[in-house]
PDB file of all heavy atoms in Angstrom:
ATOM      1  N   VAL A   1       9.210 -29.512  18.893  1.00 96.00           N
ATOM      2  CA  VAL A   1       9.603 -28.457  19.890  1.00 96.00           C
ATOM      3  C   VAL A   1       9.916 -29.103  21.241  1.00 96.00           C
ATOM      4  O   VAL A   1       9.108 -29.937  21.709  1.00 96.00           O
ATOM      5  CB  VAL A   1       8.499 -27.422  20.013  1.00 96.00           C
ATOM      6  CG1 VAL A   1       8.876 -26.362  21.101  1.00 96.00           C
ATOM      7  CG2 VAL A   1       8.236 -26.730  18.692  1.00 96.00           C
ATOM      8  N   GLU A   2      11.020 -28.749  21.789  1.00 95.00           N
ATOM      9  CA  GLU A   2      11.403 -29.207  23.115  1.00 95.00           C
ATOM     10  C   GLU A   2      11.477 -27.940  24.040  1.00 95.00           C
ATOM     11  O   GLU A   2      12.129 -26.986  23.637  1.00 95.00           O
ATOM     12  CB  GLU A   2      12.752 -29.941  23.128  1.00 95.00           C
ATOM     13  CG  GLU A   2      12.773 -31.177  22.303  1.00 95.00           C
ATOM     14  CD  GLU A   2      14.162 -31.787  22.209  1.00 95.00           C
ATOM     15  OE1 GLU A   2      15.076 -31.218  22.839  1.00 95.00           O
ATOM     16  OE2 GLU A   2      14.308 -32.828  21.577  1.00 95.00           O
ATOM     17  N   GLY A   3      10.840 -28.015  25.185  1.00 94.00           N
ATOM     18  CA  GLY A   3      10.806 -26.883  26.047  1.00 94.00           C
ATOM     19  C   GLY A   3       9.470 -26.129  25.877  1.00 94.00           C
ATOM     20  O   GLY A   3       8.628 -26.536  25.094  1.00 94.00           O
ATOM     21  N   GLY A   4       9.380 -25.058  26.611  1.00 93.00           N
ATOM     22  CA  GLY A   4       8.110 -24.314  26.600  1.00 93.00           C
ATOM     23  C   GLY A   4       8.310 -22.824  26.731  1.00 93.00           C
ATOM     24  O   GLY A   4       9.422 -22.330  26.677  1.00 93.00           O
ATOM     25  N   GLY A   5       7.235 -22.111  27.005  1.00 94.00           N
ATOM     26  CA  GLY A   5       7.292 -20.670  27.230  1.00 94.00           C
ATOM     27  C   GLY A   5       7.539 -19.894  25.923  1.00 94.00           C
ATOM     28  O   GLY A   5       7.469 -20.447  24.822  1.00 94.00           O
ATOM     29  N   ILE A   6       7.876 -18.660  26.113  1.00 96.00           N
ATOM     30  CA  ILE A   6       8.056 -17.759  24.977  1.00 96.00           C
ATOM     31  C   ILE A   6       9.224 -18.161  24.088  1.00 96.00           C
ATOM     32  O   ILE A   6       9.260 -17.970  22.880  1.00 96.00           O
ATOM     33  CB  ILE A   6       8.194 -16.324  25.425  1.00 96.00           C
ATOM     34  CG1 ILE A   6       8.109 -15.321  24.233  1.00 96.00           C
ATOM     35  CG2 ILE A   6       9.422 -16.081  26.245  1.00 96.00           C
ATOM     36  CD1 ILE A   6       6.823 -15.329  23.497  1.00 96.00           C
ATOM     37  N   GLY A   7      10.251 -18.799  24.745  1.00 97.00           N
ATOM     38  CA  GLY A   7      11.393 -19.271  23.962  1.00 97.00           C
ATOM     39  C   GLY A   7      10.999 -20.308  22.946  1.00 97.00           C
ATOM     40  O   GLY A   7      11.504 -20.302  21.817  1.00 97.00           O
ATOM     41  N   ALA A   8      10.060 -21.220  23.313  1.00 97.00           N
ATOM     42  CA  ALA A   8       9.637 -22.250  22.354  1.00 97.00           C
ATOM     43  C   ALA A   8       8.861 -21.596  21.192  1.00 97.00           C
ATOM     44  O   ALA A   8       9.051 -22.012  20.051  1.00 97.00           O
ATOM     45  CB  ALA A   8       8.671 -23.197  23.114  1.00 97.00           C
ATOM     46  N   ALA A   9       8.065 -20.608  21.470  1.00 97.00           N
ATOM     47  CA  ALA A   9       7.324 -19.924  20.442  1.00 97.00           C
ATOM     48  C   ALA A   9       8.277 -19.197  19.485  1.00 97.00           C
ATOM     49  O   ALA A   9       8.154 -19.303  18.240  1.00 97.00           O
ATOM     50  CB  ALA A   9       6.366 -18.930  21.038  1.00 97.00           C
ATOM     51  N   ARG A  10       9.254 -18.523  20.007  1.00 98.00           N
ATOM     52  CA  ARG A  10      10.241 -17.767  19.131  1.00 98.00           C
ATOM     53  C   ARG A  10      11.052 -18.695  18.301  1.00 98.00           C
ATOM     54  O   ARG A  10      11.253 -18.459  17.088  1.00 98.00           O
ATOM     55  CB  ARG A  10      11.125 -16.900  20.014  1.00 98.00           C
ATOM     56  CG  ARG A  10      10.413 -15.747  20.692  1.00 98.00           C
ATOM     57  CD  ARG A  10      11.307 -15.039  21.699  1.00 98.00           C
ATOM     58  NE  ARG A  10      10.578 -13.967  22.410  1.00 98.00           N
ATOM     59  CZ  ARG A  10      11.022 -13.318  23.477  1.00 98.00           C
ATOM     60  NH1 ARG A  10      12.229 -13.674  23.992  1.00 98.00           N
ATOM     61  NH2 ARG A  10      10.314 -12.388  24.070  1.00 98.00           N
ATOM     62  N   ALA A  11      11.524 -19.804  18.866  1.00 98.00           N
ATOM     63  CA  ALA A  11      12.322 -20.777  18.167  1.00 98.00           C
ATOM     64  C   ALA A  11      11.476 -21.443  17.032  1.00 98.00           C
ATOM     65  O   ALA A  11      11.947 -21.607  15.930  1.00 98.00           O
ATOM     66  CB  ALA A  11      12.904 -21.805  19.094  1.00 98.00           C
ATOM     67  N   ALA A  12      10.256 -21.844  17.373  1.00 98.00           N
ATOM     68  CA  ALA A  12       9.445 -22.508  16.373  1.00 98.00           C
ATOM     69  C   ALA A  12       9.061 -21.626  15.250  1.00 98.00           C
ATOM     70  O   ALA A  12       9.009 -22.037  14.070  1.00 98.00           O
ATOM     71  CB  ALA A  12       8.163 -23.021  17.091  1.00 98.00           C
ATOM     72  N   VAL A  13       8.748 -20.346  15.519  1.00 98.00           N
ATOM     73  CA  VAL A  13       8.375 -19.415  14.455  1.00 98.00           C
ATOM     74  C   VAL A  13       9.590 -19.137  13.571  1.00 98.00           C
ATOM     75  O   VAL A  13       9.472 -19.097  12.327  1.00 98.00           O
ATOM     76  CB  VAL A  13       7.862 -18.090  15.049  1.00 98.00           C
ATOM     77  CG1 VAL A  13       7.713 -17.026  13.963  1.00 98.00           C
ATOM     78  CG2 VAL A  13       6.471 -18.328  15.690  1.00 98.00           C
ATOM     79  N   ALA A  14      10.778 -18.941  14.146  1.00 98.00           N
ATOM     80  CA  ALA A  14      11.955 -18.720  13.378  1.00 98.00           C
ATOM     81  C   ALA A  14      12.254 -19.924  12.475  1.00 98.00           C
ATOM     82  O   ALA A  14      12.601 -19.746  11.268  1.00 98.00           O
ATOM     83  CB  ALA A  14      13.188 -18.481  14.298  1.00 98.00           C
ATOM     84  N   LEU A  15      12.089 -21.126  12.947  1.00 98.00           N
ATOM     85  CA  LEU A  15      12.272 -22.311  12.157  1.00 98.00           C
ATOM     86  C   LEU A  15      11.274 -22.397  11.039  1.00 98.00           C
ATOM     87  O   LEU A  15      11.604 -22.733   9.877  1.00 98.00           O
ATOM     88  CB  LEU A  15      12.187 -23.553  13.021  1.00 98.00           C
ATOM     89  CG  LEU A  15      12.256 -24.915  12.285  1.00 98.00           C
ATOM     90  CD1 LEU A  15      13.529 -25.022  11.479  1.00 98.00           C
ATOM     91  CD2 LEU A  15      12.150 -26.055  13.282  1.00 98.00           C
ATOM     92  N   ALA A  16       9.998 -22.071  11.341  1.00 97.00           N
ATOM     93  CA  ALA A  16       8.949 -22.107  10.343  1.00 97.00           C
ATOM     94  C   ALA A  16       9.261 -21.157   9.213  1.00 97.00           C
ATOM     95  O   ALA A  16       9.079 -21.528   8.033  1.00 97.00           O
ATOM     96  CB  ALA A  16       7.631 -21.780  10.970  1.00 97.00           C
ATOM     97  N   TRP A  17       9.686 -19.971   9.510  1.00 98.00           N
ATOM     98  CA  TRP A  17      10.055 -18.998   8.456  1.00 98.00           C
ATOM     99  C   TRP A  17      11.217 -19.494   7.572  1.00 98.00           C
ATOM    100  O   TRP A  17      11.225 -19.393   6.392  1.00 98.00           O
ATOM    101  CB  TRP A  17      10.379 -17.670   9.049  1.00 98.00           C
ATOM    102  CG  TRP A  17       9.228 -16.940   9.632  1.00 98.00           C
ATOM    103  CD1 TRP A  17       7.912 -17.180   9.412  1.00 98.00           C
ATOM    104  CD2 TRP A  17       9.275 -15.840  10.544  1.00 98.00           C
ATOM    105  NE1 TRP A  17       7.126 -16.302  10.115  1.00 98.00           N
ATOM    106  CE2 TRP A  17       7.936 -15.487  10.815  1.00 98.00           C
ATOM    107  CE3 TRP A  17      10.279 -15.132  11.170  1.00 98.00           C
ATOM    108  CZ2 TRP A  17       7.603 -14.428  11.724  1.00 98.00           C
ATOM    109  CZ3 TRP A  17       9.988 -14.082  12.050  1.00 98.00           C
ATOM    110  CH2 TRP A  17       8.641 -13.724  12.293  1.00 98.00           C
ATOM    111  N   ASP A  18      12.200 -20.108   8.271  1.00 96.00           N
ATOM    112  CA  ASP A  18      13.330 -20.689   7.585  1.00 96.00           C
ATOM    113  C   ASP A  18      12.880 -21.739   6.580  1.00 96.00           C
ATOM    114  O   ASP A  18      13.311 -21.747   5.419  1.00 96.00           O
ATOM    115  CB  ASP A  18      14.262 -21.304   8.621  1.00 96.00           C
ATOM    116  CG  ASP A  18      15.734 -21.222   8.245  1.00 96.00           C
ATOM    117  OD1 ASP A  18      16.057 -20.559   7.277  1.00 96.00           O
ATOM    118  OD2 ASP A  18      16.556 -21.826   8.954  1.00 96.00           O
ATOM    119  N   LEU A  19      12.019 -22.616   7.021  1.00 96.00           N
ATOM    120  CA  LEU A  19      11.563 -23.697   6.145  1.00 96.00           C
ATOM    121  C   LEU A  19      10.686 -23.221   5.001  1.00 96.00           C
ATOM    122  O   LEU A  19      10.785 -23.718   3.866  1.00 96.00           O
ATOM    123  CB  LEU A  19      10.782 -24.752   7.010  1.00 96.00           C
ATOM    124  CG  LEU A  19      11.549 -25.421   8.097  1.00 96.00           C
ATOM    125  CD1 LEU A  19      10.623 -26.256   8.997  1.00 96.00           C
ATOM    126  CD2 LEU A  19      12.623 -26.342   7.517  1.00 96.00           C
ATOM    127  N   ALA A  20       9.813 -22.266   5.282  1.00 96.00           N
ATOM    128  CA  ALA A  20       8.966 -21.708   4.274  1.00 96.00           C
ATOM    129  C   ALA A  20       9.753 -20.950   3.223  1.00 96.00           C
ATOM    130  O   ALA A  20       9.484 -21.053   2.045  1.00 96.00           O
ATOM    131  CB  ALA A  20       7.911 -20.855   4.918  1.00 96.00           C
ATOM    132  N   ASP A  21      10.720 -20.180   3.685  1.00 95.00           N
ATOM    133  CA  ASP A  21      11.484 -19.335   2.735  1.00 95.00           C
ATOM    134  C   ASP A  21      12.327 -20.155   1.762  1.00 95.00           C
ATOM    135  O   ASP A  21      12.560 -19.713   0.666  1.00 95.00           O
ATOM    136  CB  ASP A  21      12.376 -18.328   3.521  1.00 95.00           C
ATOM    137  CG  ASP A  21      11.530 -17.247   4.186  1.00 95.00           C
ATOM    138  OD1 ASP A  21      10.372 -17.121   3.830  1.00 95.00           O
ATOM    139  OD2 ASP A  21      12.114 -16.509   5.010  1.00 95.00           O
ATOM    140  N   ASP A  22      12.839 -21.293   2.189  1.00 93.00           N
ATOM    141  CA  ASP A  22      13.631 -22.092   1.258  1.00 93.00           C
ATOM    142  C   ASP A  22      12.839 -23.226   0.622  1.00 93.00           C
ATOM    143  O   ASP A  22      13.425 -24.135  -0.015  1.00 93.00           O
ATOM    144  CB  ASP A  22      14.903 -22.623   1.944  1.00 93.00           C
ATOM    145  CG  ASP A  22      14.637 -23.624   3.070  1.00 93.00           C
ATOM    146  OD1 ASP A  22      13.526 -24.121   3.170  1.00 93.00           O
ATOM    147  OD2 ASP A  22      15.585 -23.876   3.829  1.00 93.00           O
ATOM    148  N   GLY A  23      11.526 -23.200   0.761  1.00 94.00           N
ATOM    149  CA  GLY A  23      10.638 -24.105   0.066  1.00 94.00           C
ATOM    150  C   GLY A  23      10.519 -25.507   0.645  1.00 94.00           C
ATOM    151  O   GLY A  23       9.954 -26.383   0.011  1.00 94.00           O
ATOM    152  N   ARG A  24      11.033 -25.744   1.838  1.00 95.00           N
ATOM    153  CA  ARG A  24      10.927 -27.043   2.431  1.00 95.00           C
ATOM    154  C   ARG A  24       9.562 -27.356   3.015  1.00 95.00           C
ATOM    155  O   ARG A  24       9.202 -28.502   3.205  1.00 95.00           O
ATOM    156  CB  ARG A  24      12.028 -27.266   3.497  1.00 95.00           C
ATOM    157  CG  ARG A  24      13.369 -27.559   2.893  1.00 95.00           C
ATOM    158  CD  ARG A  24      14.398 -27.790   3.993  1.00 95.00           C
ATOM    159  NE  ARG A  24      14.807 -26.578   4.692  1.00 95.00           N
ATOM    160  CZ  ARG A  24      15.618 -26.551   5.735  1.00 95.00           C
ATOM    161  NH1 ARG A  24      16.053 -27.681   6.287  1.00 95.00           N
ATOM    162  NH2 ARG A  24      15.957 -25.359   6.279  1.00 95.00           N
ATOM    163  N   LEU A  25       8.814 -26.292   3.349  1.00 95.00           N
ATOM    164  CA  LEU A  25       7.536 -26.514   4.019  1.00 95.00           C
ATOM    165  C   LEU A  25       6.613 -25.360   3.638  1.00 95.00           C
ATOM    166  O   LEU A  25       6.987 -24.193   3.690  1.00 95.00           O
ATOM    167  CB  LEU A  25       7.699 -26.573   5.510  1.00 95.00           C
ATOM    168  CG  LEU A  25       6.458 -26.954   6.373  1.00 95.00           C
ATOM    169  CD1 LEU A  25       5.995 -28.363   6.028  1.00 95.00           C
ATOM    170  CD2 LEU A  25       6.791 -26.847   7.841  1.00 95.00           C
ATOM    171  N   ASP A  26       5.365 -25.715   3.221  1.00 96.00           N
ATOM    172  CA  ASP A  26       4.371 -24.676   2.928  1.00 96.00           C
ATOM    173  C   ASP A  26       4.106 -23.807   4.164  1.00 96.00           C
ATOM    174  O   ASP A  26       4.038 -24.359   5.269  1.00 96.00           O
ATOM    175  CB  ASP A  26       3.074 -25.367   2.470  1.00 96.00           C
ATOM    176  CG  ASP A  26       1.946 -24.359   2.219  1.00 96.00           C
ATOM    177  OD1 ASP A  26       1.928 -23.760   1.131  1.00 96.00           O
ATOM    178  OD2 ASP A  26       1.086 -24.244   3.117  1.00 96.00           O
ATOM    179  N   ALA A  27       3.887 -22.531   3.945  1.00 96.00           N
ATOM    180  CA  ALA A  27       3.766 -21.599   5.085  1.00 96.00           C
ATOM    181  C   ALA A  27       2.571 -21.939   5.934  1.00 96.00           C
ATOM    182  O   ALA A  27       2.614 -21.938   7.172  1.00 96.00           O
ATOM    183  CB  ALA A  27       3.642 -20.160   4.605  1.00 96.00           C
ATOM    184  N   ASP A  28       1.411 -22.302   5.303  1.00 96.00           N
ATOM    185  CA  ASP A  28       0.236 -22.662   6.070  1.00 96.00           C
ATOM    186  C   ASP A  28       0.416 -23.924   6.827  1.00 96.00           C
ATOM    187  O   ASP A  28      -0.054 -24.050   8.032  1.00 96.00           O
ATOM    188  CB  ASP A  28      -0.964 -22.781   5.164  1.00 96.00           C
ATOM    189  CG  ASP A  28      -1.413 -21.427   4.572  1.00 96.00           C
ATOM    190  OD1 ASP A  28      -1.176 -20.408   5.245  1.00 96.00           O
ATOM    191  OD2 ASP A  28      -2.004 -21.418   3.489  1.00 96.00           O
TER     192      ASP A  28
END
């Protein structure tokens, strides 16, 4: 993650869902 604030949280969560949904990364 580059940057901070709520934007960083939203971008990171969106990426995490993307990765979990296509099987690249376990959700936990």
Side-chain angles (χ1 to χ4, degrees):
V1 178
E2 298 176 359
I6 190 64
R10 292 172 183 169
V13 170
L15 174 58
W17 290 343
D18 212 8
L19 296 171
D21 289 348
D22 66 15
R24 283 183 285 174
L25 188 63
D26 176 80
D28 289 334

